[in-house]
Amino acid sequence: MRWLALLLLPGMAHAEAVVATRTIRAQTVLTQADMTTVEAEIPGTLTDPDTGAGLEARVTLYAGRPIRAEDLGPPAVVDRNQLIPLAYVS
């Protein structure tokens, strides 16, 4: 009777997760070629590579490991300790 109940249950649905195709250093802006999707249900990861394209890696992303939303951020316009020319009119 137990095996009959197992046969009637629907199969587990799998979602897609985004993983890095290569090791990506922190402060690198991601492109479509840097990411791919795998069939896995991993909570907290990106599900579409388009959402990560154009964002900057906050931490080093290793090849084959999932990319979390917390690992990415908007690209920095000014680097830390960078000299910036400033012009103003009084």
Side-chain angles (χ1 to χ4, degrees):
M1 188 62 131
R2 214 181 257 172
W3 60 271
L4 180 60
L6 292 176
L7 292 176
L8 297 176
L9 294 175
M12 189 173 177
H14 288 285
E16 290 187 343
V18 177
V19 296
T21 57
R22 62 181 181 87
T23 300
I24 302 166
R25 296 182 64 170
Q27 299 180 344
T28 302
V29 178
L30 299 178
T31 63
Q32 288 284 353
D34 296 328
M35 301 171 284
T36 188
T37 56
V38 294
E39 194 169 315
E41 189 173 348
I42 304 170
T45 61
L46 298 179
T47 56
D48 185 21
D50 291 334
T51 58
L55 295 177
E56 182 178 85
R58 292 183 177 174
V59 295
T60 301
L61 305 171
Y62 296 98
R65 293 199 180 161
I67 300 175
R68 300 176 306 156
E70 302 88 42
D71 297 338
L72 305 176
V77 178
V78 178
D79 291 328
R80 187 175 183 164
N81 295 331
Q82 181 181 358
L83 296 176
I84 305 293
L86 180 64
Y88 64 93
V89 177
S90 61

